[in-house]
Amino acid sequence: MITEETPHTAGATGLSRHIQRLLTRTRAFDARHPWVWDATLTLSWAGAALVDGAGGWQNTARDPSVPGGLVLVLSLALSLPLYWRRRPMTALAVMACAALVSDASGAFLQAAYLQAIPVFHLALTRQPRALLWAFALILPPLVTGAVRFPQETWDQRVIPALWAYALVALLGFVVRSRRDHTAGLVDRARRLEVERDQEVRLAAAAERTRIAREMHDIIGHNLSVITGLADGGRYAAAKNPERATQALDAIGTTSRQALDDLRRLLGVLRDDEQEAVRDPQPTLADLDTLLTGVRKAGLAVELEVRDEPAPQPLAPGAQLTVYRVIQEALTNTLKHAGHSARATVLLAYAPKELLVEVVDTGTPTTARPHQGQGQGLTGMRERAALYDGLLTCGALPAGGWHVRLRLPLEGSPS
């Protein structure tokens, strides 16, 4: 979590970290109460200017006979505008006027160098072209003093002062660059943190979707089988108790298998990974077991395999997709096609794809989910799309329902 101090103190140690924390807190206080710092700075420099105006200014003056009242007013005019340093052009304009009078009168007050503070803030907060106006304000007092009192050459009076202001402006640019760089790093860190949280949420959502799909396939199929077995056992109980007993045994076996699959699926969600059972997921080799359970539930189903499987078998994930699509299709047949329906499962291998087709003989009036609706159909399409497959389904003109999956034999998941 990024705090107010973290961006400026990351990577620092010892004394440097404490100094950076102090500077961060000072900046935060200044942002909340700007007038406190402005007043403190202004009063400090005003006091220094008044001390110089009490007599020390005569050491550098060209005309020591300048009236003391004028010196006092000029000292205040060169220091008090610092209170508006956050509006540097306004403060500099007032100070430049006072500096012009100071140099023209021969007082040459040292407080005129306080103009460097607005220049620094101009470089820190304004566009570079604002410095042209700043030097346009600073230059006239320097030229006026050099013309009126030519005891010193221009390169002694004007050029050093301009270089000093230029260095102050350069310092402002350096501080501004570092501040912008730091702000950029802080913003990037925050955006990375947001992106990380989004990725975590997306991963969690994808995992929830996967778990929901698996639970739907496992529970939905097994409950449909149990329902079929229970209905068949109820009818057989009156005429053939032995068949009813077999149906009850099959119900128990299917229920235990569903419970084991559900426990295995939920086990991976535990914090203790040692307790999670990691049984292999179903593959095409488990189709016979699936079809046997469906037949016990009362649905006549046949498996037809055309051509030979490819030398390179399907990836385990692709085999799971085929298994789940067939499972979901047969589950829907058990739910909607009626007891007299029959189903055919076709696996047709082509050079570059595997065709999977499940067709049942339900009546034309049988109610089925519309194409694209239902959790089961959505899950089948998601599984197929994960391996660049194409799944279609719909009602047949003569009655019944078909589900067709085309799955590439080569390539990796997209």
Side-chain angles (χ1 to χ4, degrees), residues 18-35:
H18 293 296
I19 293 176
Q20 290 178 10
R21 287 179 177 175
L22 179 61
L23 291 175
T24 300
R25 292 171 182 171
T26 302
R27 294 189 191 100
F29 180 82
D30 182 41
R32 292 192 303 267
H33 310 286
W35 65 271

Side-chain angles (χ1 to χ4, degrees), residues 281-403:
Q281 293 280 19
T283 63
L284 294 181
D286 299 305
L287 278 181
D288 290 337
T289 303
L290 172 66
L291 299 182
T292 299
V294 173
R295 292 188 185 106
K296 289 182 179 179
L299 176 64
V301 56
E302 296 180 0
L303 174 64
E304 181 181 354
V305 180
R306 294 180 185 174
D307 300 325
E308 292 296 328
Q312 182 70 23
L314 285 174
Q319 294 191 45
L320 176 62
T321 296
V322 174
Y323 181 93
R324 293 302 189 198
V325 167
I326 295 174
Q327 182 185 54
E328 179 62 25
L330 294 177
T331 300
N332 289 336
T333 300
L334 283 171
K335 289 180 180 179
H336 305 291
H339 296 287
S340 61
R342 301 178 63 86
T344 301
V345 178
L346 171 65
L347 297 179
Y349 289 90
K352 294 185 178 181
E353 69 176 8
L354 169 63
L355 172 64
V356 181
E357 191 171 52
V358 182
V359 180
D360 65 57
T361 59
T363 60
T365 57
T366 301
R368 300 287 182 101
H370 293 293
Q371 187 168 348
Q373 297 180 353
Q375 177 69 23
L377 295 180
T378 301
M380 286 194 291
R381 284 193 170 85
E382 290 175 350
R383 289 183 184 275
L386 189 62
Y387 289 89
D388 295 330
L390 176 63
L391 186 136
T392 58
C393 57
L396 297 173
W401 192 266
H402 81 280
V403 175

